[in-house]
Amino acid sequence: MNLKYSKCLGLAAVLYFTANYSAQQVSDTTSKEKTIEEVVVIGYGTQKKSNVTGAIASIKASDIEDIPQGRPEQVLQGRAAGVSVVTNSGQPGSPATVRIRGLTSFGAGGNDPMYVVDGIIVDGIAWLNQSDIESIEVLKDGASSAIYGVSAARGVVLVTTKKGKKGALNLAYNGSFGVSQVARKLDLLNATQYATIINEGFVNDGQAPRFANPSIFGQGTDWQDTIFNTGDRQSHEISINGGNEKSTYYASFGYFDQTGTVMGDISKYKRLNARLNSTHKVLDFLTIGQTFLYTHQASQGIGTNELFGGPLSSAINLDPTTPAVVTDWSLVNPATYPTNQPLIRDENGNPYGISPWVNQEMSNPLAYRYTQQGRNGWSDDFVGNVFADLRLAPGLNFKTTLNGKKSYWGSEGFNPKFYLSSTLSNLAFNSLNRTTQTKFEWSFENTLTYQKKLGDHNFNIMIGQGVYRNNVGSGQSVTYTNLPIDSWQDAAFYAVDAKNITASAWDTTQTRRASYFGRFIYDYQDRYLLTGTFRRDGSSKFLKYWGNFPSFSLGWNVHKEGFWKDNEIINTFKIRGGYGVLGNDAIDDFMYRSSLVSGSNYPNGEINPSIIIGYSPNTLGNPNLKWEETAQTDIGADIRFLRNFTLGFDYYYKKTTDILRRVAIPGYVGVPIDPFSNVGDMENKGMEFELGYKKSWQDFDLSLTGNFSTNKNEVLRLEDDVEWREFSSLHSMGTVSRLQVGKSVGTFYGYTYNGVFQNQQQINSYVNANGDMILPNAKPGDFMWNDNNGDGKITEDDRVDIGSSLPKFTYGFTINMSYKDFDFMVFAQGQGGNKILQGLRRLDMLDANYQTSILNRWTGEGSTNENPRLTRADSNGNYTKMSSYYLQKGDYMRIKLVQLGYTLPRDTTMKFGANKVRLYVTGENLFTFTKYTGYDPEIAGGNEYGIDRAYYPQARTFLFGANIQF
């Protein structure tokens, strides 16, 4: 017998014996408790999970109720295979980048999924209170998402909020308070090390050293200490629900407040929520209801992942020889501090330090803080719907729903006079600006659903119609200059002279859509499963309005066949597969028409000329624009084995065609904005695995869940005869990544090298076929650049694929344990197979500080073969060329959450009227296992991954909280 085969049989026998033996020795909750069929939310309805034929990830309230409050989309991180959630930064209130099965497009509209909250299509869920969520379903495949047609190509996230339950009034409180600190600091040079390194660069270029005695500087200024602080965070939420046979209600009130760990007085976020959901059975055949949410958000933030200035980038690049505050004038050059300029000073009147070496956008973070005081942004969102559900006949229901979202948002900021350096100042006048905007979006949907059971045949037929209006809004902005005040505390819109007031206003362009859709669900004895959908969408963004989006999926519950015998190995087994086509219309309005823009004014008349408002072409129209389409095939299986294990598997192939993006046209055409066209195809393919285990032993419960997913992205086509386009750039390096046919989106492109020249002989021996030196200007200690195209010289054509910014795999796992009144949870997540471009140091600033890894530079023959010599001229491009030298592995595993809870005995809590009191302590982001040397390996940002431009790191947080129910 084949040895591999015999080992498999042996393992199966052991598992079979263990399962049977365990069943006799311990209490198996699944055999004693009545099985409750799990229901998941699908588009415009619900379905038994056992009969779902699509790829749907479901997260219930019980999975997230113990997770401290944060951004709602972050609860998806690591909990659903194929769903990548990357926190954009540690800035309080910062959003997360959500990607479902990779990047769907490299064109218009980005890759954010479609969000639907209680049937309301919204542009995000930042305004949601996490405690209000009843369930989150992620529709990952085309068959599941196609019911939403347009905008569903990037996947759909369905959020259902909590509703009232029949019974007495229930009151619940959930709150926490804690502190945060940065988990990691960079190892930067101290002042003595810095002066030594700078001197070496001068000497290696044949110049005199700058600093006569580096040791006199000592440790110098640790600029990171000036920006990092202890942040705090608190959240409080009270909810009530109840009802009777006729009416049910759910109401909640929430408050969230967080200050950041980077200059917390200008890095903070607050959110207030109020919700009311209710349902009323008016007549036996008529039910009405509504959902309503009000959210107020207020924030103040610093730049996140911002290379050009800001406290993080400045703290990394400023030289440590400059003092944070000048108290000893003998240590600085007085000329750097002009007394006739508005220097920023501390409370003792001492000016904040100004670097004589590192300037441009860089500035003393303590002084920079002053310029940001009084700047803030805010938003108010009103989101809700009303519905009526009418039972026309047994199994026949008509539902009509009116959805709406009204948003107000704006910002206000005072810009004082200041002098931060010779290259960064505001000397002319102060100013105060206020901007306000509003937007209203609404939709009206009607569905007719018919359910019927004919013997062993079950039918569910739904048809619907919808009308949608988006981006109905306006905005205005006003700026006052030369205010008669000096500080932001006194700033107000005083009655200044009219010449010091500028204002503008605008209206937005309304987008209109109309849709017709339907779905057919059939099963025979819950064994053979079929789902088919069709949606026809019309959009005002195309001259040819309509697009068609069909899908179908099949399923087979194999374990319900007569030939399938009950056994203790595989308990349930379902095979499923489907195909669906989805759309994307996320381009600017009226791009199918040419447009004009005002501002090209001209004089009219010779003696007393008047100014005539002129118009000029803005962009070219493209009447042939059509829907960007994504077709996706999915094959999967769901298995329950050994009674306590569950396994889910999916393979998917997703292809996007006719990608909508702007195309470059020659400058002589005379339009400043490139037009849109359908240019580009792309594919994603991968596999997803989900494994779970759940068991109870008397007072001990154990639950383990894990997921692992892979994704391979490839660009298939760009414009005709175009092989690649520039994608991302980084300061003086220029282009660092590309869109290239045959490669993944955002693939890093650069030079490669084969070590460091150790002596002149190696340089002389590095020759081409003609015997000419390939790097004649190189010196010992320089990189030996590879001649990748074999033309005998080093040019831009030698740049090659040096790594992908997109992770090849993501994963997450959760451990839940409870013993009597104690519970314990560990949640971890991570990713791998990607590269990070560390662009923390400004290469165009020769005097910017270094990380301590520079101490391992080449200093002589045999010293190192990894790092080049120090040089300011850098004639060989050791530091200024984009190369593999700047790429690091982006793999990481993060212990995201550890929580220990204790529930007080019920007889104790009942003494003061509480049904449940649970206390807990939580640690967030406790450990991150990675080889990346920057602040944080979890880096995202729009369509661009993997470029670290001074990333605001996520904080390590410790929280104490309580859940109380009455």
Side-chain angles (χ1 to χ4, degrees):
M1 179 181 291
N2 182 278
L3 180 60
K4 183 177 179 181
Y5 182 67
S6 63
K7 286 183 177 180
C8 293
L9 285 180
L11 177 60
V14 170
L15 292 174
Y16 179 82
F17 174 79
T18 302
N20 279 275
Y21 179 78
S22 298
Q24 298 171 16
Q25 298 296 319
V26 299
S27 171
D28 186 345
T29 55
T30 59
S31 64
K32 288 189 174 183
E33 296 178 356
K34 182 179 178 180
T35 301
I36 300 175
E37 185 70 57
E38 185 177 349
V39 173
V40 298
V41 178
I42 58 177
Y44 304 99
T46 60
Q47 190 176 15
K48 292 190 300 184
K49 185 175 182 179
S50 61
N51 285 357
V52 169
T53 53
I56 300 177
S58 181
I59 299 171
K60 302 300 183 184
S62 57
D63 299 322
I64 61 176
E65 62 187 1
D66 293 334
I67 299 174
Q69 288 271 359
R71 293 275 304 200
E73 65 268 33
Q74 290 174 345
V75 301
L76 291 170
Q77 188 175 43
R79 290 181 171 84
V83 181
S84 170
V85 180
V86 182
T87 303
N88 285 4
S89 84
Q91 166 75 46
S94 180
T97 297
V98 180
R99 299 290 178 259
I100 299 176
R101 293 184 167 179
L103 301 180
T104 303
S105 175
F106 52 78
N111 285 276
D112 294 330
M114 178 183 188
Y115 292 96
V116 183
V117 180
D118 291 327
I120 309 168
I121 299 173
V122 292
D123 53 5
I125 54 175
W127 38 268
L128 266 178
N129 182 354
Q130 181 179 308
S131 295
D132 287 341
I133 296 174
E134 180 66 31
S135 70
I136 302 176
E137 272 77 23
V138 183
L139 312 184
K140 299 187 292 184
D141 66 326
S144 301
S145 304
I147 191 66
Y148 287 105
V150 62
S151 303
R154 295 153 292 185
V156 181
V157 178
L158 302 178
V159 181
T160 304
T161 61
K162 294 177 179 177
K163 308 299 188 294
K165 299 178 181 178
K166 291 184 291 185
L169 182 146
N170 293 285
L171 174 65
Y173 166 80
N174 186 7
S176 63
F177 177 82
V179 293
S180 304
Q181 291 184 328
V182 291
R184 174 192 287 188
K185 289 176 58 179
L186 299 181
D187 292 326
L188 299 173
L189 298 180
N190 63 34
T192 297
Q193 294 169 330
Y194 169 82
T196 301
I197 289 296
I198 293 298
N199 280 351
E200 187 174 319
F202 277 102
V203 171
N204 285 345
D205 290 341
Q207 302 178 49
R210 171 182 291 168
F211 302 104
N213 184 8
S215 63
I216 65 171
F217 292 108
Q219 293 295 310
T221 303
D222 186 337
W223 290 107
Q224 292 181 98
D225 283 348
T226 68
I227 65 170
F228 291 136
N229 56 261
T230 299
D232 59 71
R233 175 173 142 193
Q234 61 176 313
S235 65
H236 307 278
E237 190 260 343
I238 297 175
S239 64
I240 56 174
N241 80 85
N244 52 34
E245 297 293 334
K246 293 291 186 181
S247 297
T248 59
Y249 58 88
Y250 173 89
S252 69
F253 308 89
Y255 172 74
F256 180 86
D257 188 356
Q258 182 180 9
T259 59
T261 55
V262 180
M263 299 199 129
D265 55 344
I266 58 171
S267 175
K268 48 196 173 183
Y269 172 76
K270 289 183 180 181
R271 184 181 67 231
L272 297 170
N273 297 88
R275 172 173 289 279
L276 176 62
N277 294 346
S278 67
T279 304
H280 310 279
K281 191 173 184 179
V282 180
L283 300 168
D284 288 342
F285 57 87
L286 176 63
T287 300
I288 63 173
Q290 54 78 224
T291 68
F292 172 78
L293 171 74
Y294 165 71
T295 299
H296 172 76
Q297 300 178 82
S299 63
Q300 185 175 7
I302 65 173
T304 58
N305 206 22
E306 175 56 60
L307 182 71
F308 299 102
L312 266 168
S313 189
S314 294
I316 294 169
N317 286 279
L318 282 174
D319 62 284
T321 60
T322 296
V325 180
V326 178
T327 55
D328 186 349
W329 285 97
S330 66
L331 300 178
V332 299
N333 182 359
T336 310
Y337 302 83
T339 56
N340 61 336
Q341 301 295 355
L343 298 174
I344 300 176
R345 302 173 183 269
D346 69 1
E347 62 274 11
N348 297 317
N350 298 312
Y352 289 109
I354 300 174
S355 174
W357 316 116
V358 182
N359 39 56
Q360 295 186 39
E361 300 88 4
M362 303 302 162
S363 63
N364 188 320
L366 299 175
Y368 171 85
R369 170 194 287 151
Y370 171 80
T371 68
Q372 303 302 301
Q373 298 286 353
R375 297 172 183 254
N376 61 82
W378 59 273
S379 67
D380 289 303
D381 292 288
F382 300 85
V383 186
N385 65 14
V386 292
F387 68 88
D389 195 327
L390 181 65
R391 180 169 56 85
L392 302 176
L396 181 63
N397 284 67
F398 173 76
K399 185 176 182 179
T400 183
T401 307
L402 179 62
N403 307 299
K405 180 184 179 186
K406 181 72 171 179
S407 299
Y408 302 88
W409 72 97
S411 62
E412 186 169 310
F414 175 66
N415 190 32
K417 290 184 179 181
F418 61 82
Y419 182 90
L420 298 180
S421 70
S422 60
T423 58
L424 191 60
S425 61
N426 178 42
L427 307 178
F429 48 77
N430 62 25
S431 62
L432 180 65
N433 171 264
R434 177 181 292 160
T435 299
T436 59
Q437 298 183 73
T438 181
K439 182 170 67 173
F440 178 51
E441 299 183 333
W442 63 269
S443 64
F444 182 56
E445 295 181 319
N446 300 285
T447 59
L448 185 66
T449 305
Y450 180 66
Q451 298 184 66
K452 184 68 174 179
K453 181 178 177 64
L454 297 174
D456 293 328
H457 304 272
N458 295 294
F459 300 88
N460 184 307
I461 303 171
M462 184 271 293
I463 58 173
Q465 166 268 339
V467 177
Y468 310 88
R469 296 291 182 270
N470 301 96
N471 206 35
V472 183
S474 62
Q476 48 276 325
S477 178
V478 61
T479 301
Y480 281 32
T481 57
N482 285 315
L483 279 74
I485 50 93
D486 296 318
S487 66
W488 67 272
Q489 294 95 333
D490 299 323
F493 290 91
Y494 294 101
V496 298
D497 192 285
K499 66 181 181 181
N500 292 324
I501 301 175
T502 57
S504 62
W506 59 91
D507 291 321
T508 57
T509 302
Q510 182 181 155
T511 300
R512 303 183 176 210
R513 296 189 181 97
S515 302
Y516 301 95
F517 49 89
R519 178 174 57 218
F520 175 79
I521 301 176
Y522 165 79
D523 74 77
Y524 174 73
Q525 293 184 341
D526 287 336
R527 277 192 283 170
Y528 309 121
L529 316 170
L530 168 66
T531 300
T533 69
F534 182 81
R535 182 158 180 141
R536 182 169 169 81
D537 281 315
S539 172
S540 61
K541 295 190 176 184
F542 299 105
L543 190 60
K544 300 175 182 178
Y545 296 110
W546 295 95
N548 300 316
F549 306 103
S551 80
F552 73 91
S553 57
L554 302 170
W556 180 22
N557 277 316
V558 184
H559 63 281
K560 294 192 176 184
E561 292 289 354
F563 61 78
W564 188 274
K565 303 297 183 182
D566 257 350
N567 64 84
E568 295 298 318
I569 304 298
I570 299 180
N571 313 120
T572 64
F573 183 26
K574 179 173 68 176
I575 302 173
R576 50 183 169 76
Y579 173 84
V581 180
L582 307 107
N584 177 24
D585 70 342
I587 60 173
D588 297 340
D589 294 281
F590 302 115
M591 288 296 98
Y592 55 85
R593 295 186 182 278
S594 298
S595 60
L596 301 176
V597 63
S598 63
S600 302
N601 302 338
Y602 59 95
N604 182 41
E606 296 182 0
I607 300 177
N608 295 307
S610 60
I611 301 298
I612 305 298
I613 297 177
Y615 294 84
S616 61
N618 187 43
T619 189
L620 299 180
N622 182 356
N624 296 318
L625 284 176
K626 59 183 179 180
W627 300 87
E628 176 182 307
E629 290 190 350
T630 298
Q632 186 173 174
T633 302
D634 183 279
I635 300 173
D638 300 307
I639 304 170
R640 183 173 173 227
F641 60 100
L642 299 178
R643 296 296 176 191
N644 303 103
F645 290 90
T646 58
L647 173 65
F649 165 78
D650 281 273
Y651 168 81
Y652 64 89
Y653 177 78
K654 181 169 66 172
K655 183 177 181 181
T656 304
T657 56
D658 295 322
I659 291 175
L660 287 161
R661 58 189 298 264
R662 293 189 184 276
V663 292
I665 57 175
Y668 58 73
V669 175
V671 295
I673 299 178
D674 292 331
F676 274 99
S677 186
N678 292 96
V679 286
D681 301 334
M682 181 175 66
E683 70 176 17
N684 287 271
K685 54 187 175 183
M687 293 183 290
E688 300 167 356
F689 302 88
E690 292 186 338
L691 181 66
Y693 174 79
K694 192 172 185 179
K695 192 80 172 180
S696 293
W697 294 266
Q698 295 181 349
D699 294 327
F700 181 73
D701 295 308
L702 174 64
S703 174
L704 308 173
T705 58
N707 64 79
F708 180 88
S709 58
T710 67
N711 178 262
K712 185 179 186 301
N713 173 273
E714 182 178 343
V715 176
L716 301 177
R717 179 178 68 91
L718 293 171
E719 300 97 307
D720 294 340
D721 301 322
V722 173
E723 286 297 313
W724 64 273
R725 289 288 188 194
E726 296 180 354
F727 192 66
S728 299
S729 60
L730 184 67
H731 44 80
S732 57
M733 287 184 185
T735 302
V736 296
S737 65
R738 291 179 177 178
L739 282 174
Q740 178 154 343
V741 174
K743 304 291 183 179
S744 64
V745 172
T747 293
F748 292 121
Y749 267 76
Y751 298 89
T752 60
Y753 57 92
N754 187 20
V756 174
F757 288 118
Q758 299 297 316
N759 50 55
Q760 187 62 42
Q761 179 59 40
Q762 290 182 353
I763 299 173
N764 296 339
S765 301
Y766 189 40
V767 296
N768 58 26
N770 298 324
D772 299 325
M773 295 172 60
I774 294 178
L775 290 168
N777 297 322
K779 295 182 178 181
D782 285 342
F783 277 138
M784 183 189 298
W785 298 116
N786 290 321
D787 179 19
N788 290 312
N789 67 350
D791 65 354
K793 53 187 177 181
I794 303 300
T795 67
E796 289 189 353
D797 293 334
D798 289 304
R799 292 179 296 170
V800 294
D801 172 0
I802 55 176
S804 174
S805 61
L806 302 180
K808 291 181 173 61
F809 59 88
T810 59
Y811 59 89
F813 62 88
T814 304
I815 303 172
N816 281 289
M817 296 185 290
S818 65
Y819 178 71
K820 293 186 177 180
D821 296 324
F822 289 91
D823 60 86
F824 179 71
M825 176 174 64
V826 177
F827 167 59
Q829 57 83 217
Q831 65 182 36
N834 62 303
K835 295 291 183 68
I836 295 175
L837 172 56
Q838 191 182 98
L840 298 175
R841 184 176 186 269
R842 282 283 295 272
L843 301 180
D844 56 336
M845 297 181 179
L846 297 180
D847 296 312
N849 201 5
Y850 294 86
Q851 295 185 54
T852 55
S853 58
I854 198 67
L855 298 176
N856 298 319
R857 79 281 185 198
W858 188 91
T859 56
E861 187 168 351
S863 57
T864 179
N865 199 38
E866 301 294 330
N867 303 299
R869 67 188 178 98
L870 284 169
T871 168
R872 297 172 68 83
D874 199 19
S875 58
N876 193 58
N878 299 322
Y879 294 100
T880 53
K881 280 184 169 69
M882 168 56 184
S883 72
S884 52
Y885 182 67
Y886 288 104
L887 295 186
Q888 297 183 23
K889 288 185 176 181
D891 304 48
Y892 75 88
M893 185 185 76
R894 171 166 286 157
I895 307 300
K896 194 73 175 178
L897 186 72
V898 177
Q899 186 176 98
L900 176 65
Y902 175 70
T903 302
L904 274 62
R906 185 173 172 80
D907 56 356
T908 300
T909 61
M910 289 300 292
K911 292 179 181 179
F912 52 90
N915 293 324
K916 178 183 178 181
V917 176
R918 177 178 176 270
L919 307 176
Y920 63 88
V921 290
T922 299
E924 292 183 346
N925 302 320
L926 294 184
F927 305 101
T928 301
F929 302 96
T930 182
K931 292 183 178 180
Y932 181 62
T933 60
Y935 284 122
D936 196 329
E938 188 178 333
I939 295 175
N943 290 342
E944 178 186 273
Y945 275 75
I947 301 181
D948 189 350
R949 296 182 171 93
Y951 183 81
Y952 192 134
Q954 294 186 61
R956 178 179 292 151
T957 304
F958 297 92
L959 296 162
F960 172 79
N963 307 116
I964 305 174
Q965 297 178 13
F966 295 93

